[in-house]
Amino acid sequence: MRTFFSEDHRLHFPQAELTGGQFVTPFERPSRVEYVLNRLKEQGLSDIVAPGAPDMAPVEKLLDPGFLRFLETAWGEWKAAGMAGEVIAAGMPARGMHTDRCPEYIDGKVGYYCHASETAITGGTWKAALSSLASAQAAQRHVAGGADAAFALCRPPGHHATADQYGGYCFINNAAVVAQMFRDGGAGKVAVLDIDFHHGNGTQNIFYDRADVLFLSLHGAPSHAYPYYLGYADERGAGAGEGANFNYPMLPGTPYAPWAEALDDAIAQIRATGVEALVISLGVDAYKEDPISFFKLESEDFTDAGRRIAGLGLPTVFCMEGGYAIEAVGINTVNVLEGFLGA
Ligand code: FKS
Ligand code: ZN
């Protein structure tokens, strides 16, 4: 399986993440992908290719052009306004306020286009997000061109980003763009299966009223886990998309057996619907040692999960999302790929 990866991810490395009332070094840091790269090479998956430039045409169609322009210009406007630090949203439109009028002053714009203030924008964030997108798009083109599967080693991740909001370490929703590219390339139905510990609120939101892109997510229950305000089991899709959204929220301490049962149910839904291409939002933060998550998966469980996903026999693009037990991120990520390949 070929991996697509860009070194430009390094351009995004904020100094600070707001957690527990303190600023700490972000959990989502550049070294995460070093562990994945090393493990890929160690296991002989050494077909690693840099992507070309991103293709903005499908992105401009799927996401809000104003939001994309904001991501591109936020740092410059922030600095021009005399702000001393990194771009951090201090306030967002809440209950009873206007959620659809974008202020002109940068501080207001930031809150308008953000949904969670732990995530900072720096001078390199836009370029890094584009390089992550480029890897996902190159992986999609590789699979659309006939490969069985490809791995996009994306950083920063994408699944919390909606059409017009960033947050949860995510800026551009890579998996959603890949799904749309499969549709544009002629796939009748596409599924995005999200096995990251956190609910893929961005992906769900982007496809919520569509029947042509299924979204299925296994995640920490919103009663206990970020993103908190979406991801309940009764969110089944809306309008034409009713019945095309599947959430499997699970409580703290969940081990592999019930998690795998949820995975099997998701796989059965995909099988029952005539899906022609599969996108995996591949986070490995369901691991038992993950510092910000609460499931109890073992490293070998990730191999088994990859095996089960392979049973679908679909053209598949894996997009890297989260995973913060830094030393195990490589092993767990590559275990999913090896399980898929039947290694
Ligand atoms: C830490 C609280 C952290 C934000 C969690 C974001 C999770 C991001 C992710 C992604 F795949 F996008 F990277 N709250 N004290 O893992 O879902
Ligand atoms: Zn996550």
Side-chain angles (χ1 to χ4, degrees):
M1 186 183 321
R2 179 168 292 177
T3 294
F4 293 89
F5 170 71
S6 167
E7 290 288 349
D8 283 353
H9 75 90
R10 295 173 179 291
L11 298 169
H12 174 69
F13 188 18
Q15 284 174 24
E17 170 180 338
L18 182 57
T19 188
Q22 285 186 305
F23 283 111
V24 301
T25 301
F27 290 95
E28 201 295 285
R29 58 188 69 169
S31 55
R32 294 175 57 247
V33 297
E34 298 306 321
Y35 283 94
V36 180
L37 279 177
N38 288 339
R39 183 65 180 175
L40 284 167
K41 290 173 192 159
E42 218 171 275
Q43 296 301 99
L45 289 164
S46 38
D47 183 8
I48 303 169
V49 173
D55 174 6
M56 295 314 282
V59 184
E60 299 265 353
K61 266 199 298 173
L62 187 67
L63 308 181
D64 177 53
F67 171 57
L68 294 168
R69 230 172 353 262
F70 161 79
L71 288 176
E72 187 175 4
T73 57
W75 176 256
E77 279 190 48
W78 187 257
K79 289 290 122 182
M83 310 293 192
E86 298 174 334
V87 180
I88 295 199
M92 292 86 149
R95 269 187 295 281
M97 295 175 141
H98 290 290
T99 55
D100 53 0
R101 292 188 192 176
C102 186
E104 282 175 40
Y105 186 54
I106 183 63
D107 190 43
K109 269 200 212 178
V110 170
Y112 178 80
Y113 284 120
C114 182
H115 76 265
S117 60
E118 84 287 292
T119 300
I121 293 175
T122 68
T125 298
W126 173 243
K127 238 185 137 184
L130 287 182
S131 79
S132 183
L133 168 72
S135 290
Q137 292 185 306
Q140 191 279 336
R141 284 191 293 267
H142 187 58
V143 171
D148 294 336
F151 175 41
L153 181 41
C154 296
R155 180 181 177 275
H159 71 151
H160 297 304
T162 65
D164 61 3
Q165 283 186 313
Y166 72 98
Y169 317 153
C170 299
F171 303 94
I172 298 175
N173 195 317
N174 303 307
V177 172
V178 168
Q180 184 62 48
M181 286 171 70
F182 274 124
R183 284 284 297 116
D184 294 343
K189 221 167 226 190
V190 180
V192 182
L193 172 59
D194 189 326
I195 63 169
D196 184 277
F197 168 81
H198 301 92
H199 178 246
N201 62 288
T203 318
Q204 167 169 318
N205 186 259
I206 288 168
F207 297 118
Y208 203 61
D209 57 5
R210 289 172 51 172
D212 59 330
V213 181
L214 263 60
F215 178 69
L216 315 95
S217 178
L218 281 59
H219 52 269
S223 51
H224 290 74
Y226 174 85
Y228 295 115
Y229 314 110
L230 208 66
Y232 290 91
D234 61 5
E235 296 157 15
R236 301 291 320 275
E242 197 165 346
N245 195 86
F246 300 87
N247 282 329
Y248 302 88
M250 288 167 273
L251 289 170
T254 296
Y256 188 58
W259 193 92
E261 221 174 281
L263 179 62
D264 282 345
D265 192 272
I267 287 170
Q269 300 296 345
I270 294 170
R271 196 173 274 124
T273 330
V275 165
E276 292 169 33
L278 180 62
V279 186
I280 304 293
S281 266
L282 175 54
V284 292
D285 36 12
Y287 182 54
K288 61 178 181 183
E289 308 279 4
D290 195 90
I292 64 169
S293 309
F294 55 58
F295 290 166
K296 296 285 169 246
L297 269 62
E298 308 278 346
S299 286
E300 53 273 24
D301 297 333
F302 288 98
T303 315
D304 187 69
R307 215 177 281 131
R308 290 178 198 231
I309 293 166
L312 280 166
L314 289 169
T316 302
V317 171
F318 292 90
C319 291
M320 189 79 213
E321 303 282 3
Y324 310 97
I326 197 107
E327 318 244 308
V329 167
I331 291 167
N332 294 340
T333 303
V334 176
N335 277 1
V336 173
L337 304 179
E338 289 182 322
F340 183 89
L341 292 169

